[in-house]
Amino acid sequence: MKIQFCNERFDPRFKDDVVAEFDVAEEPTDEQCKAIEDEIFEVMDNWYEESDNDFREFDYWGVCYAAVKKHLKIIENQVVKTFYL
């Protein structure tokens, strides 16, 4: 199962506004989703205060990864077959 994090503001570094995407072992509960969002927003709020609202150097992917890893099991889906067309 895949979960995605999208940037609500335009940021040219991220195609289609997807900043992070992870395969997880199971569907997150509402409580897990809230905990992940709360952690991400807390880090973003601290960054906002410390950097005068300049998110150019902010590590969106890293922050999302750290929050997800804390609350969910991240898995790696291996390619099982490659088709050459």
Side-chain angles (χ1 to χ4, degrees):
M1 169 171 319
K2 194 174 294 288
I3 60 173
Q4 288 184 332
F5 296 85
C6 297
N7 193 340
E8 287 189 280
R9 294 176 273 208
F10 174 75
D11 190 326
R13 294 179 295 164
F14 305 111
K15 184 180 180 188
D16 299 327
D17 292 325
V18 175
V19 297
E21 184 174 86
F22 306 102
D23 289 314
V24 294
E26 59 189 20
E27 182 176 354
T29 65
D30 290 342
E31 293 80 16
Q32 289 169 317
C33 291
K34 178 158 180 22
I36 290 168
E37 286 180 339
D38 288 348
E39 286 191 35
I40 292 169
F41 290 137
E42 181 179 344
V43 172
M44 290 180 75
D45 287 345
N46 290 338
W47 182 276
Y48 179 88
E49 294 295 324
E50 295 171 6
S51 67
D52 295 325
N53 194 24
D54 184 359
F55 281 88
R56 286 180 288 180
E57 299 296 321
F58 187 76
D59 182 9
Y60 290 99
W61 187 92
V63 170
C64 293
Y65 177 80
V68 171
K69 187 173 180 174
K70 186 174 178 181
H71 296 281
L72 299 172
K73 180 179 180 183
I74 296 175
I75 61 173
E76 186 175 324
N77 284 328
Q78 300 293 324
V79 174
V80 295
K81 177 66 179 164
T82 300
F83 293 88
Y84 295 94
L85 305 174

